Amino acid sequence: MDKKYLQMIGKCSRCGGCQAHCPLYLETGREPFVARGKIELLDNLAAGKLVWNDKLAEVFSTCLLCGSCTENCPNGVEPDKLVRLARKDLVAARGLPIIKRNVLQHLLKHNGRLNTAGRLLGLYQKSKLQLLIRNTGFLKLISTNLANIEGLLPQITGQPFRKNVPLLNTVDAPRLKVAYFTGCATNWLNPHIGRSVVKVLKAYGVEVVVPEQYCCGVPALSSGDMDTGRYLARENIRNFSELDVDYIITDCASCLSAWLEYPELLENDDALNLAARVMDINRLLVEILDVSIPAKESGVKVTYHDPCHLKRTPGGRTSPRELLKRLSPYYEFVEMDLADRCCGSAGSFNISHYELSQSVVKHKVASILDSKAEIVATACPSCMMQLGHGLKKNNSDVKVQHTIELLAHLL
C-alpha cells in the first residue's frame, strides 16, 4: 500500500458518523459495508494481519462508491477512493473474475467487438427471442437473479448513435464549437438522448463534433483494473486532443467524473488541458449559453434525481435544477425528498448485487411517488435504468427522462 493510502487510513477516527449516510449500511446494518468497517479491514490488511480472500473480496465489492461518506466525513477521509485503491490491490493479488475480465479487457477496449455485442443484443430483443424466454420463465429456472437482471435491460436499437450522426454538425454563425463525448449508454441504449443533445445545441447556435471515442473507463477504474482504465483514458485523450473546440460536453454523470480524473490518472498536460474544458450538458446550457426557453403552457409536474457522480462536480447540483425551472410553465419543477440519495445503480452494482440495489432504490421510488410528479428527470443513463426498473416494479407510470430530452421537446 502506498504512503497516501496509509495516511488516509490514519485520518479515520472510527467515529462511525458514516453509518448515518451509507445507503448500504442503512439497509443491512452490517459494519463491513460501511466506511468505518472497510477502513478497519484495510488497516489490518496493511499491517499484515489479514490477506485478501473471497470474503474480503465480497466486502469490498459491496460499495456503491456514491461518496456520501466522503461528503460527510468530519476528518476529510475519502473512503470511496480508499475502496477503489483496495480494489486495485485486490485485482493485483487475485485477478479479476473471468466474466468481468473479458468484458473490461476484451470488449470495452475494442469498439468493433462492442458494436457486435450491441447488435446481437438488439437482435435478441427484436427477434422475439427475449419475449419467448421471458414468457417461458427459462431464466428463472436457471436463476431468479438472472431473470431480474435481464429485466434491467432497456430496448437496444442495434444501431449505435455515433454511426448515424455526422462527425460535424454545423450551424450558421456558431456561438461555440463543442466536442460531444456520448459515452456507451447514449451510443447504444439511449440514442434519443444523443439526438436531443445535438438538436438542442444546434438550436442555440453551437456546432457539435462527434469524434471517434472509447468507453470513459469508469467500469474498469471502479473494478480496480487500472491498466484498462488508463488505456481507455489515453485513447480518448488522443482522439479529443486533435480537435479545435471550446468545450467537451457529455450527458453522462459517470463519463464526466471519469474525464475529470484523467489528469491524476495519466499525469500529462494533454489530460490536464482537456479536463479543464469538460462540462456536463446542463451546466453548459445554464452557465455558458444562459438559455431562455420559449414559453408554452402545460403544467406537467417534474421532479429531479441527483446522480452521485454529477452532484460533486461544479454546478452539478444547481445547473440541472435551474434548467428545469427555466422550462416553466410547460414543466412545473417540484423538489422531492431524498433527491440526492444514491439510487443503488452504481454502474454494474445493480447487476452484481441485484436484491440489495433494489432495497436501496425503493426509497427513491417512494420519494418520486410522494412528489406526485409525472416525470422524474436526471442526468445519468445508469440512474435512468435503475429508476425505470424500480418504478416498473411498483407498477408506476411515472416516466424517467434525461433533462435534455425535456428541453428538446419544447424546441
Side-chain angles (χ1 to χ4, degrees):
M1 294 184 181
D2 60 38
K3 186 177 180 181
K4 183 179 178 182
Y5 198 161
L6 296 173
Q7 287 175 338
M8 198 180 296
I9 291 174
K11 289 171 66 177
C12 176
S13 64
R14 312 301 199 269
C15 69
C18 46
Q19 291 180 340
H21 303 284
C22 175
L24 300 186
Y25 181 81
L26 293 172
E27 291 304 314
T28 66
R30 294 187 59 188
E31 182 71 12
F33 291 171
V34 77
R36 181 176 67 174
K38 286 183 169 66
I39 288 173
E40 183 65 22
L41 292 170
L42 287 174
D43 206 2
N44 281 274
L45 279 163
K49 297 177 182 179
L50 290 173
V51 294
W52 287 110
N53 55 42
D54 290 345
K55 193 168 185 179
L56 284 174
E58 174 60 24
V59 166
F60 281 91
S61 75
T62 310
C63 177
L64 296 164
L65 297 177
C66 66
S68 291
C69 49
T70 295
E71 283 185 302
N72 293 283
C73 180
N75 296 325
V77 182
E78 299 175 281
D80 54 336
K81 287 189 177 180
L82 282 173
V83 169
R84 286 178 52 172
L85 288 168
R87 290 176 181 177
K88 180 185 75 169
D89 286 354
L90 173 62
V91 169
R94 292 166 59 91
L96 286 163
I98 187 168
I99 294 177
K100 183 169 284 189
R101 182 174 72 245
N102 278 286
V103 169
L104 297 179
Q105 298 178 3
H106 302 296
L107 195 61
L108 294 188
K109 290 169 67 174
H110 303 277
N111 279 343
R113 296 175 189 175
L114 193 59
N115 288 344
T116 298
R119 283 193 292 270
L120 289 174
L121 279 173
L123 182 63
Y124 162 71
Q125 292 176 333
K126 291 179 181 178
S127 67
K128 305 289 180 68
L129 181 59
Q130 181 185 51
L131 186 62
L132 176 64
I133 287 177
R134 287 182 174 181
N135 288 342
T136 58
F138 175 73
L139 292 178
K140 289 183 179 180
L141 293 175
I142 302 173
S143 165
T144 301
N145 261 3
L146 183 60
N148 289 331
I149 291 165
E150 195 270 347
L152 284 165
L153 276 178
Q155 195 67 32
I156 296 172
T157 64
Q159 285 293 325
F161 166 74
R162 293 196 300 267
K163 291 290 185 183
N164 294 292
V165 66
L167 170 65
L168 177 61
N169 298 268
T170 60
V171 296
D172 294 331
R175 298 169 60 184
L176 293 173
K177 185 176 183 180
V178 303
Y180 179 18
F181 187 82
T182 68
C184 301
T186 291
N187 191 42
W188 270 109
L189 306 178
N190 304 306
H192 55 286
I193 294 178
R195 291 191 292 270
S196 293
V197 168
V198 174
K199 175 184 177 181
V200 167
L201 290 176
K202 289 182 67 176
Y204 287 100
V206 179
E207 283 193 341
V208 185
V209 184
V210 188
E212 179 68 14
Q213 54 196 264
Y214 287 78
C215 170
C216 67
V218 156
L221 297 172
S222 298
S223 300
D225 185 357
M226 305 304 291
D227 289 342
T228 298
R230 287 193 184 93
Y231 172 86
L232 295 169
R234 282 195 296 268
E235 289 300 303
N236 285 323
I237 293 298
R238 181 177 61 81
N239 285 328
F240 281 75
S241 62
E242 301 170 356
L243 305 174
D244 181 19
V245 294
D246 299 294
Y247 297 98
I248 298 169
I249 58 102
T250 182
D251 58 59
C252 174
S254 296
C255 293
L256 175 66
S257 71
W259 270 87
L260 295 179
E261 289 184 31
Y262 283 177
E264 183 178 354
L265 185 67
L266 299 180
E267 298 181 326
N268 64 47
D269 290 341
D270 281 345
L272 185 64
N273 293 334
L274 285 179
R277 286 184 278 158
V278 176
M279 188 173 293
D280 171 64
I281 183 64
N282 295 283
R283 186 181 175 205
L284 181 85
L285 292 168
V286 171
E287 295 187 14
I288 306 302
L289 297 176
D290 191 22
V291 298
S292 58
I293 317 299
K296 294 183 180 181
E297 294 288 342
S298 181
V300 178
K301 192 173 288 188
V302 180
T303 192
Y304 179 74
H305 159 72
D306 285 286
C308 297
H309 281 145
L310 183 60
K311 69 183 182 182
R312 300 196 297 269
T313 66
R317 291 180 186 269
T318 56
S319 293
R321 287 175 170 80
E322 175 60 25
L323 181 63
L324 290 174
K325 291 173 183 177
R326 293 187 187 190
L327 302 186
S328 177
Y330 192 90
Y331 295 109
E332 177 192 348
F333 173 66
V334 292
E335 192 74 61
M336 66 172 163
D337 290 336
L338 305 176
D340 65 349
R341 178 169 168 162
C342 181
C343 68
S345 175
S348 62
F349 185 89
N350 59 354
I351 296 174
S352 59
H353 298 78
Y354 177 82
E355 294 296 340
L356 186 51
S357 79
Q358 295 309 301
S359 294
V360 173
V361 80
K362 70 183 181 185
H363 303 287
K364 182 70 68 169
V365 168
S367 292
I368 294 169
L369 298 179
D370 287 346
S371 75
K372 307 301 181 186
E374 299 169 62
I375 298 171
V376 54
T378 189
C380 173
S382 180
C383 294
M384 290 177 67
M385 284 192 288
Q386 177 78 341
L387 295 174
H389 187 66
L391 287 163
K392 183 179 179 180
K393 286 183 67 177
N394 277 265
N395 298 311
S396 170
D397 57 0
V398 174
K399 295 180 181 179
V400 183
Q401 291 187 276
H402 197 288
T403 49
I404 196 71
E405 292 181 86
L406 303 185
L407 174 53
H409 178 69
L410 299 181
L411 299 178

